Structure formats: structure tokens, C-alpha cells
Amino acid sequence: MTAPDTLLEVEGLSVSFGDTEVVRNLSFHVSRGECVAIVGESGSGKSVTARSLLGLAGRGSRVTSSTLSVAGRDLTAASERDWRRIRGSQIGLVLQDALVSLDPLRPIGREIGDVLRLHSPLSAENARSRVLELLASVGMPNPERAITQRSGELSGGLRQRALIASAIALDPPLLIADEPTTALDVSIQARILDLLADVKSRGTGILLISHDLAVVSAIADRVLVMKGGRIVESGNTQELLALPREEYTRRLISAVPTDKPRRVPLVPDAMPVPAPTVHSTQDAMAPVVLEARGLTKSFPSPSSPFLAVDDVSFTLRRGETLGLVGESGSGKTTVARLVLALAPADGGAVLLEGGAFSELRERDRRPLRRKVGAIYQDSLSSFDPRADVRRILTDASELAPKADRHSVGELLDAVGLSPAVAKARPLHLSGGQRQRVSIARALAARPDVIVCDEPVSALDVTIQAQVLDLLDRLQAERGLSYLFISHDLGVIRHMSDRVAVMKNGRIVETGDAARVFDHPQHPYTAQLVADAPRLVDAL
Amino acid sequence: MTPGSAGSRPAQRSRGFRGIRWLLVRLGGAIFVLWAVATLTFFAIRLIPGDPAEAVLGGPGSQASQETLDQVRQDYGLDLPLAVQYLNALGRLLTGDLGTSYALKVPVSDLLGAQIGGTLVLAFTALCVAWLIALLLSVWSTGGGRVAAAVGQGIELTSAALPHFWLATVLIAIFSSTLGWLPPVSTATPAGLVLPTLTLAIPLAGFLAQVMRETLLDTLDAPFIVSARARGESERGIRLRHALRHASLPAISLSGWALGYLISGAVVVETIFARPGLGRTLLQAVTLRDVPIVTGVVLLVALVYIIMTVVTDAASRLADPRLRNAEAQP
Amino acid sequence: MSELDLRTAAASAAPVRRARPSVSEIFAMAFVLFLAVATVVPGLLSSIDPNAIAARDAFQGPSPEHWFGTDESGRDVYSRVIAGTSTSLLIGVSATVIGVTLGLILGVIAGFGGRILDFSVNRTIEVLFAFPGLLLALLVIVIAGPGPVTATIAVGLSTAPGYARIIRGQLAGIRSSGYVESARVLGHGPRRILTRHILPNALAPLMVLATLGIGQAVVWASALSYLGLGAQPPSAEWGAMLSAGRTYIGTAWWLTVFPGLMIVLTTIATTILGRSLTRRTAGRR
């Protein structure tokens, strides 16, 4: 059944560590010039699968398969020596974030040159010119300079290009890319995906591992959905996204917030989000709860002060969500810190319900603080390591007005956690549970506004969907206002009534969410929207 | 929501400029520390009960006459106000004059100048030997399976716990008294250097090996090691080209501290092996309360220590570009 | 190897696990128990008078009668080692208490006293670090004269800068931690944050530091005794016994080997216990 241009042929691949089988009886193939994606959430076994194809499943692993062949070579019984000859020359590997995937102590040129040194008899002179050629071919602006630099000295996008260059140095027929664009800004992600598409068009087969269906839809020809070490569904990308057969695939696709209208639940069959009880979201007459006026903040730096936030103003009305979107370094997190009065602004002010907030003395502001809650990306570090959930929640609810206090049970119920969680320490909870506890903590103080700083960025997509649905429901029930900060355009668009787009410390565009995303006025917004991967493009 | 995540641009200045600036700041700090050490020592020894003039003449039991005492006070400048004495002492320090020994009546700088060589040879040899042992031990214990790891950890823990004075005695008992291979007294010959070096090096090696093993293990788990393996790099290449470099970083930055530790250990080792050097001189001076020698040795050791920390910091910066880049971020 | 060992132990994020005690941990606990018995009721472990002189029995090697042999005056080395436990440990523990207390005071001043105080304390620590190892202790002895009490204080003083630096770093880490920040955001006051979050989280690692430090302090104190600057013979302190036995190293190795072994085992045991405490307290995070 092997077609002549089949590069990778896998039959009955199983991987186990001790008694736990993490990959079960996997079969698939990748052909020349084809991109096959394995999609799954954390713990689905997708990364282990990728590594076992290189003989790198790790210490203590047991890998078995009835067929495992790369470019016609049988590898079912390959020795370590055989593997070493295959790695780099027949299969290239690209990992997430080259900052840690390229040796931070060695120049890029050496790292790429290693592949040539190990597999080809090129002289040092020729190897060098080949490395320069490679760097140019992956779009490195100044190859001569880049070969002397180390991964830490390059920007995220450029070092990812260097990593790809090292993987394709010998033009291996198969390239395995394990989350190659995770943690990159959307514009850089789009360029890296273009580069991978380019590699594919030259006839290389690509096995793409990703948690992100939208990214996968941009480049993959076929998709394998993995869960619990098995392939639950596979097929042509368009067909699979349009007509998923399996329940799990449907949940996965439904959880992608991109292009899901506001207040439509991301979890299928979930209770519909109730209509807002307090105010209509589009109600321009709703009172303004929070206002930022001309916020400015700079940080000292060796050369000149670095302006992180530059004249940022916005208003937030009751029951409304303002999305603040921008790439890394755009200053959105600094805005959050200024709004929470965690850092003093150099200029401008934050007003709460029309009164002073950021300009008050800390002592006078403290009684008001409970009205502005916060949810963080890394919720674990926001919990005292010595406290259990009960203490975390009672500590916070003491700040609410006496007549208006929630019990721990009520809080846990409101965020959909069982009462048993009260006795647990956050360390022993899952990421989604932790984020629910942190929402419960914010609710406990009876806030009017919650600042959500990348609240779902560290979560798997189905968990992310549950948390976003929860936030939506709580907003409708309680008339909360959210300042929602994210780098993810899909999440922002789904969650926001209005958005503000930040770049280099300034808000470049602001307005109604649908208007900004469908008819962007500022070229930067237009570029962001164009670069963001979307499922619908594939449909 | 960390302060650093606000994002920043690296300073647009040349690497060389930043390096020189760093060095100047670092040297300024070193000079400050040296001055503070000198000042602290100067005033600390004023806390010694009793008359320094009597100490010069051999302690309270000397029954020196008033004239002799006055003469000594004048000779040593002890009759001047404290502030003047302090400034005089600092001024003399700048010219390398450390005063005159109470007991031996010779300039301290001459005395120590003759002693420092032996101590530095011993300390540096021990440092190199410790490095070598630590390197071999950590590479072996991380590469040889579970038994090697357990044995390696046991060796590290035990050798790090060995006190110098006991190790020296045991080594002498084995290699000199029983086997007769090496002299129990440190002579000027290379053979005489072996036991003192081992005494100082073994505990340090145990400690360094612990640090290096931990870094090695962390490094071998890093994603760039997976990248290197995926390129077809061999296990030996992984260690030589990647892991050892990373593992040597903490060892480099610890070397300044380690040298201080070794010089301090030389007090014991030089005494046991009857080896001339700063440590033995210091101990004798402590016993005799010969204040100028004690302050002289303290200042000298502080100087060596400070120079060594500047050197190791600079070496760490050269070896690890991440340290240089970190400074560019606010 | 004091402050660096302690620092790595305090900083390293150990894997989260609640394992059964390992063989080494069982050994360490058993040895600490042995030391405790030797300190409190030495008579349980040895029935021979540690100071009983019997010239006829001088320089006997280890035997069923005298486990660790006898010294130049025919005294039983084993019972002297047992009798010396209390002195040696008392010096080591007191020195650690002095060092940790001073370190805590300096660290807290630096951590809470504002920028100027933090800067000054930091420079002070840096200056004290320029007296490496025993040097600071020797300076103290020059000033105050030799003896067991001075030696204790001297060792305590010379370990203080190391503790101060770690405590300062830990306080700084806790103060800028996410949980202190989120308590501020909620609107809790500074006193409550201090007593409920900062202090409890800072104190647990301090106990670990102290455990790790005791072995070190015992070694340094006995080094001073060995040099004739701490406890003096005929006191049964381990360092002093070693010093006295040194003269007979060629003929009676047991005089030096056994007291030294006690020091080594004490250090190993406290190190193992300190590390396992580090792991266990880290596991609560």
C-alpha cells in the first residue's frame, strides 16, 4: 500500500513509560510535499509521538511498532548508531521557542554548522558559506552578522528562523515541527507559517504538532486528532473541520473562539449565556465605572528612558468588556498594572466611578481596591503557597461589605467547582481549576471591575472555552465590567464589546469590536487581523 | 504581570562600551570594599583591651618603664589622635606599608611578601585539582546509570563534609606514617605539595561536583539538547559541546569564593604540614596577638579575594552572553 | 562551604513529592537521635568514666573493651567522644543561632528598611564577604582572646553575612511575589500582608538554613579548637581531642580518626536532613 512518494510510514506505534502507555497503536503516513498535523491537548501524547519518530522518546520509554520507515528505511529495529545517521540528514526537528531550543551559549552559525559537520564531508570554508546560504533562505536579514550571534541576542522570530535553518540544513525529506509558532506574536507566527509552507512547496514532508487548530488549518493538508494517546479522528483538513465525525473533534473545533459571535457559548450543549440582567452591553447610557486619562509610564533603561505606556485613555462602562489587544512589548500589561495602581503612573490618572483612584494615597485607596479585582495568567504564583483554597477565598471575602459576603461554598459553586476543592492547595489543582479559584477570589471581594490579564493564555483550548464561558456568564449575572487583556485576537474578539489596539505603548485604534475587526482603520490593526490564523479560511 | 514583562528594547550601544563600563563600575566597587575592609579592621583592633604600646613590648607582663612606653608610643604614632592615626594608616597602605610587627620587629610587608607566594601556589593548585576532580566525578555520576549516580552523590556529600584538619591527619596517617610514600612535612619539592593540595582540594571538589552535577542534569533536560540530538549529535558530542559548557558556568563563578575558602583553609593546612605561608603566619600572629601582622594578612587576603571575584565575574560574563544581555534590559 | 551550599539549597526548586524516607534520610535521623541521646543522657551509651586515668592502659587500640581505643593517659576514647558531644553540639548550635539571628536582623533591615538601608546592608554584607571563611573568626579571636565562648561567637559572626544575604534575597522574592501583589490588589493592609504572607513564608526556609548550617558550624568551631583557639584540652570537645591526638598520629591513629569521624557524620547527617527538609517544604508550594 506504500505509495512511491510516502516518506514516513507508521503502523502500530506504541510508547510506554513503565506501566503507563502514553501512545497507543498509532498508524499514519506522511508523503512528499505534504503537511500532516497532529492536534491534541496537553497530555494527549502528540509530542512523545513526534520524538519517538526520531528515536528520542526519552529515558525509560519503551517504543514498539510493526512498521516504522522513513524515506524507505526500516527503523523498527534501528540501533542508536542508525538513529544518529538518520537524525538531521533524513529527519529535521523544529521545537518551540528557539531561545531554549538553540544552545544559548553557542553562536547560531555553530549550531547550524553542526548538522553539516556531523553528516557531510564539507570543508569548514564550504560549510560556512552553506550556513550563510541557509540563513538567507529562511529570511534572516543579515546572515553574516547572525552566524556570530547567540539565540538570546536575536528576536523571537529571527531565532525561530535560525532554528528552522538548522533543521533543514541538509534538506531532509521529512521535517517534524513541534509547536513551532507557540509563544510567538501573531505577525511573526504568520511569517514562520509562510516559511514552513515554502519548505513544504519544495517537496519536504512536514509533520506538524500543535494544540492550535487555527494554526494547523493554515498549513496542514491532513489532520490527526489525538486524545489519550490515540488518534480519535483523521482526515483531510477542510473536511475534518467542516464535518467532524467525533464528539471530541467537535468540542475542539467549537472551543476555538475566533469568529464565534459574542456571548455564544464555546462549549457545545452548554447552557446559553443568560441575557445581561443589569444593563444591555450596547447601552451607551450605562454609567462609566472606570476611566483612564492620558496614562503615561516609562522605565529607566541604559540608553534613554523606555516609554512603555504613552498617553493611553479609555472608559469602561458597567456590564461591558473592553478588550485590550497587542503584541508582546506593546505595553498592555503595564496598563493593567497602572489600572490596578500597582505602579505609579508618570502622568495621567485612573478614575473609579468618577472619583480619584490612582491618585489617592495608598492608605486612602485601600478601601476602594476591592472594587477592582484581577485575574492573572499565572494564577498559581498569585496564591500564597501555604494557603488552601478555603483560606484564599475567606481572606478575600473579608474585604466585601459585611452584608454582602459570599460563603466559600457559594463562591465555589459560582465558578463551577465542587465544595471538596476548598481543602486543596492550588498546587494540586489543574490549570483550569486554578483559574476558576482565582476568578472566585476576585468575585469574593464583590468587585465592579475585573482586570483580566491574559487569563486563558496558559490553558488548553477546551479548558479555555470553559473559562471564557464562565466569565461571560458571571458578567451577565452580576453586571461586571472586564478590562480584558490578551494577545489572542480570537479570544479578544469573542469576549469584547469594544476593543483598543495597542502598539508601542499607544492605543492606535479603538472602537466597537465588530467594527474594528471587520473594517480596521489603522494599517497596524489591518495587518494584525490579516495575520491572525482563522479556522474559516480553511472552510 | 511581572514588572519585567513590560517589554523593552536592548540598549543600542556597542558591546565593547558596555563591557568597559561594567568593568569600571565593578572596579569602583572593589576599591570601596577594600577601603571598607581596611577601615573596619583598623577600628576593630582598637577594641582590643589593653595598651597597644605594652603589646609591642610583649604584653602587660613586660613591666616596661614609662619612658620606654612613651618611646614606643611615639615610634608607632600611638600618641596621635585616632583620626590622624587612621589617616596615617590609610596613607601608608596606599604605599604598600603595612606597619611593623610587634613581635618580630620587621616590616609586615616584607614578611608577608615572602609568605604569600607559597600560599597562592597551594591555593591555586588546590583550585585546579578540585576543578578536575569535580569535573570527572560529575561527568561520571551523571553518565553511568543509577548506581553511579548514587555512589557519586555519596562521594560528593562525604568529601564536602570532611574538615581540613581531620582529612590532613588521616592523609598523613595513611600516606606518610603507614605507607611512607609522601613526606608529612611540606617541603619545597613537588612531593611535599601533594598532601596539602589534596587536603584542600577534596572537600572543595565534593562541593563543586554537587553544583556541577545539578547543572549538568538540568542542562541535559533542556530543549536545546533535544535539538542537538535531533541533529544526530552523539552522546559524547552532547556532553563535550553543550552540557559541560553549561555545567562549568557555576563552577567558574564560584571560583572567587572558592579561592577565599582555600586561603582560609590554608591556616589549618599550613600549620599541620609545617608549610611556610600566610596561613601559618596568621595563626602564629593570632596566638601572639601581633596586631600589625593580623591586619596585614587580613587586608592581603581581602585584596586577593576581591581581585579574584572581579576576575571570575568577568570570566562568567565572557562565557555567558546571557549575563551581558540581561544588563541591557531595565 | 557555608553560604553557597545553603543558597543553592534554598533556591533550588525540588521536585514535588511526598516520598517515603530514603535510606540516607533514615541514617541521618538515626544519627541525630544518637547525638541527642549522647547529649542528654551520655550514661546510656557509655558506662566508662571519660576522665578516668589509667596509665597502664595507655595507647590501646580499638578492642571489645575499648571500642575506640585509649589515649595517652589510658582514658577511653569512645566515652570521651560521647562525653564531648554535648560541648561540640552546644558550640555548633549556639554559633548557628547567633549567625541566623544576626543574619535575620540584617536581612530584615535590608528587606524592609527602604532603599538606603537596603543599599548599606548590602554593601556591609559584601565587605564582610571579603573576610573569607575563618578569617573573620580569627579577627574576632584576636580582639576578644581565645576560648570556647569567643570561638562560638566568632563562628556565629562569620556565618552571619551568608545568612543575611540569603534572607534578604528571600524576603525580596516574597515581597515581589504574585501572592503578595494579589493581596495588595484585593486591598489588604501592609501589616496583614506582613504577618499573614511574608513572615510565614520566609520563616520555613530559615529553619532549613539553620539545619544545614549546624554541621558547618560544628566543623568551624572544632577547627578553632584544633588550632588551640577554642575549647582547650583536656576538655572532651571533638576538635580539642583531635588536636591532642595529633602528636601520636603515627602510633595511635584512633585518637584522631574517631573524634573526626563524629564531626564528619554530624555534617553529613545535618546536610541530608536539611536537604530533605528543603524538598519537603518546597513540596508544599
Side-chain angles (χ1 to χ4, degrees), chain A residues 375 377 379 383 415-417 421 426 429-440 455-456 458-460 462-468 470:
Chain A
I375 309 171
Q377 173 174 4
S379 52
F383 299 127
V415 296
L417 287 173
V421 171
L429 299 176
S430 71
Q433 287 173 319
R434 278 179 209 152
Q435 206 52 282
R436 284 169 191 267
V437 172
S438 106
I439 294 171
V456 292
L459 302 177
D460 270 329
T462 52
I463 309 294
Q464 163 178 311
Q466 294 168 10
V467 171
L468 291 179
L470 172 66

Side-chain angles (χ1 to χ4, degrees), chain B residues 221-285:
Chain B
D221 276 344
F224 63 82
I225 295 292
V226 178
S227 291
R229 288 212 166 99
R231 270 178 226 134
E233 187 70 89
S234 64
E235 210 46 43
R236 219 175 89 212
I238 295 276
R239 274 158 199 274
L240 285 180
R241 258 176 265 281
H242 300 277
L244 276 185
R245 251 171 219 260
H246 287 261
S248 63
L249 288 179
I252 291 178
S253 61
L254 284 179
S255 286
W257 163 83
L259 197 78
Y261 163 84
L262 291 172
I263 292 179
S264 144
V267 174
V268 174
V269 171
E270 287 173 356
T271 307
I272 296 179
F273 291 99
R275 185 185 157 83
L278 284 186
R280 200 153 71 110
T281 313
L282 176 64
L283 183 66
Q284 286 161 354

Side-chain angles (χ1 to χ4, degrees), chain A residues 337 340-342 362 366 369-370 372-374 376 381-386 391 395-396 398-399 425 427 441 445, chain C residues 16 18 177-190 192 196-198 200-202 204 282-285:
Chain A
R337 294 180 61 82
L340 292 170
L342 279 170
E362 181 65 31
R366 203 166 294 132
R369 274 193 177 278
R370 67 158 189 92
V372 187
Y376 313 86
S381 74
S382 78
F383 299 127
D384 188 330
R386 303 174 64 82
R391 210 190 102 183
D395 269 9
E398 280 170 26
L399 295 159
R425 282 173 198 276
L427 180 74
R441 173 178 60 186
Chain C
V16 182
R18 246 167 224 283
S177 70
Y179 55 92
V180 166
E181 194 155 88
S182 72
R184 267 182 70 199
V185 165
L186 279 168
H188 287 299
R192 186 191 160 97
R196 212 162 155 89
H197 298 294
I198 299 181
N201 278 293
R284 264 200 312 199
R285 287 199 54 95

Side-chain angles (χ1 to χ4, degrees), chain B residues 105-132:
Chain B
K105 310 282 187 280
V106 291
V108 173
S109 7
D110 296 355
L111 196 72
L112 299 187
Q115 306 285 356
I116 190 169
T119 303
L120 286 184
V121 166
L122 178 62
F124 275 105
T125 323
L127 186 61
C128 295
V129 172
W131 254 82
L132 195 70

